Amino acid sequence: MKIKRKEKEMRILMVYTLNIWDVGGQRTIRSYWRNYFEQTDGLVWVVDSSDLRRLDDCKMELDNLLKEERLSGASLLILANKQDIKGALTQAEIAKILKVRQTIQSLQAGKAKA
């Protein structure tokens, strides 16, 4: 005898407060970034895929941000913007220039020591 189970759908309503700050990347306002670090759960780092000249500066700033204790534990999304522009760097090229793998290994090694 087969017993049919009726699938039940459970809906859970969770209420979140999401604050999003676009703090911009201009050199003159970067010193203000730290005003937004408290209680940060995630960081979206937007990279201009078509601007190879600024990627070294981008890497330096990202490395500095990742050293901030108040950002410890926050998730990081690196968004490669302007992929539709001819000559834009690929995701792999950007990851290589930003040394994403090495950064992840370094952060993991630092957590293991703590």
Side-chain angles (χ1 to χ4, degrees):
M1 182 167 114
K2 290 185 180 178
I3 299 173
K4 291 185 179 181
R5 290 189 198 176
K6 185 176 181 179
E7 292 184 29
K8 293 183 179 181
E9 182 179 328
M10 179 185 279
R11 295 180 186 198
I12 300 173
L13 177 61
M14 295 183 166
V15 179
Y16 291 97
T17 299
L18 179 64
N19 293 318
I20 300 175
W21 305 101
D22 179 357
V23 294
Q26 297 88 348
R27 199 176 293 270
T28 56
I29 62 172
R30 292 178 189 171
S31 62
Y32 296 106
W33 287 353
R34 63 184 43 88
N35 295 326
Y36 299 91
F37 293 167
E38 284 303 321
Q39 298 179 339
T40 296
D41 296 317
L43 177 66
V44 178
W45 188 257
V46 181
V47 177
D48 184 339
S49 304
S50 67
D51 193 352
L52 180 60
R53 295 172 299 164
R54 290 179 47 200
L55 278 177
D56 286 334
D57 187 42
C58 176
K59 174 169 180 16
M60 181 188 71
E61 292 296 341
L62 180 58
D63 287 345
N64 288 335
L65 274 181
L66 295 176
K67 292 174 187 171
E68 288 286 339
E69 188 171 327
R70 289 182 290 167
L71 290 176
S72 176
S75 298
L76 172 66
L77 167 67
I78 299 175
L79 179 70
N81 196 17
K82 301 183 183 178
Q83 287 284 295
D84 57 329
I85 295 177
K86 186 176 181 175
L89 297 170
T90 66
Q91 171 187 335
E93 291 169 325
I94 291 170
K96 185 176 181 181
I97 292 169
L98 296 181
K99 298 183 180 177
V100 172
R101 287 185 195 267
Q102 294 91 323
T103 301
I104 291 170
Q105 291 169 349
S106 174
L107 290 171
Q108 289 173 338
K111 284 183 182 178
K113 291 178 184 176

